[in-house]
Amino acid sequence: MATLTTGAVVASLALGAASANARDLRYAMGFPPGSDSDKAGQEYAAALKKATNGQLNVKVYPLSLLNFAETSAGLRDGIADVGYLLAPYFPAEYPHFNLLAESSMQLLTMDDRVRGKEGMAYVGAMTEFVFTKCPECMNEFAKQNQVFTGTAGSSPYYLNCSKPVRSEAELKGKRLRVAGSHWSRWARAMGAQPVTMSSNEALEALKQGVVDCVVVSLPELTNLGLIEAVTDVTLQVPGGIFAGTAISQVNTKVWRSLTKEQRQAMLRAGTVMPAYVPYVYHQREKDVIELVKKRGGRVHQPDAALLQKTKDFAAQDMKTIVEFFAKTHGVKRGDELLAQFRPVLEKWVGLVQTVDSREKLADLYWNEIFSKVDANTYGM
């Protein structure tokens, strides 16, 4: 009996020590509860808990700890330990990263094989390139007291409006909420007026007529509640994806306080959200289109002239985007970065062709990218 009692005490002490060693990390994201990104964040938290045997527990704060506009500074200052960073919201802080992200509209026209897999391919290419070939990107994150652990990307961006917008004539004078300099230039080239605001503010702006359209991917209509105000969706234009999401940025002090094994686990778990978001976004496009129709909305194709003008714009904007980032944000080797990035993207277009689940996509990201990052030295 005494032996059993002693054993029970030892087991109790061991459990107590494990509990005492457990650490909670605060993860801030600007998406609301129940959104696709919130669900992805919960899977990330579960994966990290499993990978560390409960040593690291992530508490996801959807649209409560920090909103999108607050995330960069909040993560820098330690209000959150991990953050869902939308870099295009902060153009001056992350210009090199944004140059790569905002080239999606131009680069994704290069290969018909990428249709329906745009986000999956771009996430792989962006993540690999930032880890291995963009020291300027790493310096930008370091200056903001952050460690980069992967990107995410959406499905294509379309016009989501409160009235039909199918031609250049119907676009003329319309106010479009956009989330990147390339979409701003597209809007102006089509005679529309770009408006910059946080996506957290877009629904109210659309309801009040502050904007006529919101340029976002289709799943955001339900993720952000925009479907309440959107009556007309026009597919194909402007195109491109939102690739400027550094999806699980870690506060540098927090990262350096972890053991090598914990950092390795964060990298492994870090493949979950980069795979979940683009895969699910692409899968949900058809469902959202049907929901728009079910609610009495209309889904349009652009007229041929608007579609052609958009393609022409994308082709010539490659030079413009380099000049823009050089003049506005001091990016000195934009041409070189994009020239190096293009073959990486072409490789990833091929790699994602056979992916048929988000689990396989996460494994692909791990094998090709994350497993090659040295957790002993990275971010230290």
Side-chain angles (χ1 to χ4, degrees):
M1 187 68 177
T3 302
L4 290 175
T5 303
T6 301
V9 170
V10 171
S12 176
L13 289 172
L15 288 172
S19 176
N21 291 331
R23 183 173 180 181
D24 295 329
L25 301 178
R26 298 158 298 172
Y27 180 17
M29 68 166 61
F31 280 103
S35 62
D36 291 320
S37 290
D38 178 28
K39 294 173 184 176
Q42 302 299 339
E43 291 209 3
Y44 166 69
L48 185 58
K49 183 175 183 178
K50 181 179 180 180
T52 61
N53 293 316
Q55 288 184 351
L56 295 180
N57 299 300
V58 173
K59 171 66 174 176
V60 182
Y61 290 87
L63 197 53
S64 54
L65 183 58
L66 298 168
N67 64 30
F68 287 131
E70 297 167 335
T71 300
S72 185
L75 186 56
R76 178 197 66 208
D77 297 339
I79 296 172
D81 303 309
V82 187
Y84 196 114
L85 176 71
L86 302 187
Y89 283 26
F90 313 98
E93 286 85 351
Y94 312 102
H96 292 84
F97 186 76
N98 283 329
L99 167 66
L100 297 169
E102 295 187 16
S103 298
S104 71
M105 185 177 176
Q106 297 80 4
L107 293 176
L108 287 173
T109 62
M110 69 182 185
D111 193 332
D112 288 339
R113 294 179 303 158
V114 81
R115 302 295 167 258
K117 297 179 180 291
E118 291 96 334
M120 293 183 277
Y122 218 86
V123 166
M126 276 279 291
T127 303
E128 177 181 333
F129 195 84
V130 172
F131 270 131
T132 63
K133 297 181 184 297
C134 188
E136 296 96 335
C137 298
M138 289 299 187
N139 288 337
E140 289 165 2
F141 294 134
K143 286 180 181 179
Q144 300 305 316
N145 200 29
Q146 299 168 23
V147 175
F148 171 79
T149 63
T151 68
S154 68
S155 52
Y157 266 41
Y158 300 137
L159 290 172
N160 303 277
C161 309
S162 57
K163 59 199 72 173
V165 181
R166 300 153 295 192
S167 64
E168 189 174 355
E170 290 177 339
L171 256 176
K172 189 175 180 60
K174 295 293 189 298
R175 297 178 300 277
L176 314 183
R177 181 268 171 184
V178 297
S181 63
H182 54 321
W183 286 313
S184 291
R185 291 191 297 275
W186 175 83
R188 293 191 186 96
M190 303 301 142
Q193 178 183 345
V195 178
T196 301
M197 64 176 64
S198 166
S199 56
N200 297 131
E201 304 169 303
L203 174 59
E204 201 60 33
L206 199 57
K207 282 183 174 180
Q208 295 181 2
V210 175
V211 297
D212 302 296
C213 303
V214 177
V215 179
V216 292
S217 62
L218 291 175
E220 306 300 29
L221 299 191
T222 53
N223 288 330
L224 298 171
L226 296 169
I227 199 162
E228 295 178 21
V230 169
T231 60
D232 291 84
V233 173
T234 303
L235 306 175
Q236 299 194 69
V237 293
I241 67 168
F242 192 97
T245 302
I247 201 164
S248 51
Q249 295 290 93
V250 183
N251 173 275
T252 301
K253 183 178 180 181
V254 171
W255 178 263
R256 292 177 178 174
S257 71
L258 302 176
T259 66
K260 174 188 174 182
E261 291 73 23
Q262 289 171 337
R263 293 193 295 271
Q264 184 79 11
M266 289 199 78
L267 290 168
R268 186 64 180 95
T271 64
V272 172
M273 294 184 74
Y276 187 108
V277 172
Y279 190 86
V280 169
Y281 270 47
H282 282 295
Q283 293 295 307
R284 289 194 57 230
E285 283 188 305
K286 291 181 180 179
D287 291 340
V288 175
I289 287 174
E290 291 307 312
L291 183 58
V292 169
K293 294 177 179 177
K294 184 177 180 180
R295 292 172 62 94
R298 297 168 291 269
V299 178
H300 312 285
Q301 294 292 338
D303 70 12
L306 177 58
L307 185 58
Q308 185 59 51
K309 188 167 183 177
T310 297
K311 291 179 179 178
D312 293 342
F313 168 85
Q316 63 83 27
D317 197 53
M318 280 301 294
K319 181 178 180 180
T320 304
I321 197 169
V322 170
E323 293 174 348
F324 172 82
F325 275 92
K327 181 178 180 180
T328 308
H329 300 298
V331 174
K332 295 180 179 179
R333 63 181 194 108
D335 276 324
E336 182 182 347
L337 283 173
L338 293 182
Q340 293 175 344
F341 180 64
R342 188 184 293 271
V344 179
L345 178 57
E346 290 173 351
K347 179 186 79 172
W348 275 95
V349 170
L351 286 173
V352 300
Q353 290 304 305
T354 59
V355 170
D356 57 6
S357 73
R358 63 177 188 265
E359 292 80 11
K360 289 183 180 178
L361 186 58
D363 287 341
L364 180 63
Y365 291 156
W366 172 252
N367 292 329
E368 293 288 334
I369 309 169
F370 289 81
S371 65
K372 300 175 183 178
V373 178
D374 184 356
N376 192 46
T377 59
Y378 178 69
M380 301 302 288

